[in-house]
Amino acid sequence: MSVNPMDYEAQFFGFTPQTCMLRVYIAFQDYLFETMLVVESVILKKLDGFPDCKISPFQIRKSTEKFLLFMKEHFDKLFSKMEEVLLQLVLNIPKNVLLPEDKVHEQFPYSKEQFQALQGEIQQLQQQFRAEASAGQALRAELEEQRVVRAELEKILQWFDGLENISREHGTSNFKESFAFLTENSKKLQDVLKDVEEKSKKIKKHDQLL
């Protein structure tokens, strides 16, 4: 069998020419073996009609195997010549022929050096794309953080607006007065809370004693 890989032919046919020839060889060989078995069975049936014949089935089998070996040797020689002809004249694509899908290489030829330079440029562009994607992700995270901070600032501004409205309602006009007012009310609320907690504790103790 030929050792030439014949990659271009495999691209066109969808299989390697060597694989095709191997299958043809196996098919012929199987047919030869089956034919010899049929011939042997016919001879054995014919001998059944001659009771006085001294040829045994074992001798017939040995003769069949010898003849099969003889046929196989001649078949291999003939097939080797047939394979050479088919691989050169039938299953071979000439060097000056381009497949339709490879016409682009004829229109835009590239040398090995140009192809390597193009690959290097592609790798560089891929690295730039990854860097820009990473920067974009970081920017989106920063924008999200700014959005959260802005929302919190808007809440604080609303709180100050509410504080200003409350101050006006209670007759205080500046921030110091408003803050003092809130501090005073906060302390009052804390005192009330403490008083409620103490009373609650006393009620619980009274309930436990009962």
Side-chain angles (χ1 to χ4, degrees):
M1 300 294 287
S2 173
V3 294
N4 181 11
M6 302 183 74
D7 295 331
Y8 208 49
E9 287 77 6
Q11 179 182 335
F12 176 72
F13 292 113
F15 56 84
T16 62
Q18 291 89 342
T19 302
C20 176
M21 296 308 302
L22 178 62
R23 291 178 178 176
V24 172
Y25 176 82
I26 293 173
F28 271 109
Q29 193 177 59
D30 291 343
Y31 181 74
L32 178 62
F33 291 164
E34 291 175 2
T35 301
M36 293 309 301
L37 289 175
V38 172
V39 171
E40 183 183 57
S41 63
V42 171
I43 293 174
L44 290 173
K45 287 181 181 180
K46 292 291 184 181
L47 289 177
D48 289 342
F50 299 95
D52 297 333
C53 182
K54 296 181 179 180
I55 301 175
S56 65
F58 177 75
Q59 291 175 320
I60 294 175
R61 170 53 62 92
K62 295 293 291 183
S63 299
T64 302
E65 290 177 353
K66 288 181 180 180
F67 185 68
L68 178 61
L69 181 60
F70 170 80
M71 292 290 293
K72 188 176 181 304
E73 290 176 352
H74 284 72
F75 171 73
D76 288 344
K77 292 178 181 178
L78 293 173
F79 188 84
S80 179
K81 294 179 180 179
M82 182 178 71
E83 178 189 18
E84 184 178 355
V85 172
L86 290 176
L87 290 179
Q88 289 181 359
L89 303 179
V90 179
L91 299 175
N92 180 53
I93 297 178
K95 299 297 182 182
N96 61 335
V97 174
L98 276 177
L99 296 179
E101 58 267 29
D102 293 330
K103 290 292 185 181
V104 65
H105 298 303
E106 185 179 27
Q107 298 175 358
F108 307 99
Y110 273 89
S111 65
K112 183 178 180 181
E113 292 75 15
Q114 289 175 322
F115 181 71
Q116 290 176 348
L118 182 62
Q119 283 186 320
E121 186 178 349
I122 291 174
Q123 290 177 356
Q124 185 178 1
L125 289 173
Q126 288 177 340
Q127 291 175 357
Q128 290 178 358
F129 173 77
R130 295 191 189 99
E132 290 178 1
S134 178
Q137 186 175 2
L139 180 60
R140 285 192 294 271
E142 184 177 353
L143 290 174
E144 178 64 21
E145 184 177 353
Q146 290 179 359
R147 187 188 65 80
V148 174
V149 171
R150 182 177 178 180
E152 293 297 326
L153 289 174
E154 288 178 353
K155 289 181 181 179
I156 293 173
L157 289 175
Q158 291 176 359
W159 182 80
F160 275 111
D161 289 340
L163 177 62
E164 185 177 357
N165 293 331
I166 294 173
S167 299
R168 288 174 180 173
E169 291 176 0
H170 290 81
T172 55
S173 58
N174 57 45
F175 180 76
K176 286 184 177 180
E177 292 178 355
S178 299
F179 188 76
F181 174 75
L182 288 175
T183 303
E184 183 181 355
N185 285 321
S186 175
K187 287 181 179 179
K188 289 181 179 179
L189 288 173
Q190 289 178 355
D191 293 339
V192 172
L193 181 63
K194 280 184 179 180
D195 185 49
V196 170
E197 288 180 351
E198 289 176 358
K199 288 182 179 180
S200 176
K201 289 179 181 178
K202 290 180 180 179
I203 292 173
K204 286 183 179 179
K205 287 182 180 178
H206 181 267
D207 292 340
Q208 289 176 356
L209 292 173
L210 294 176

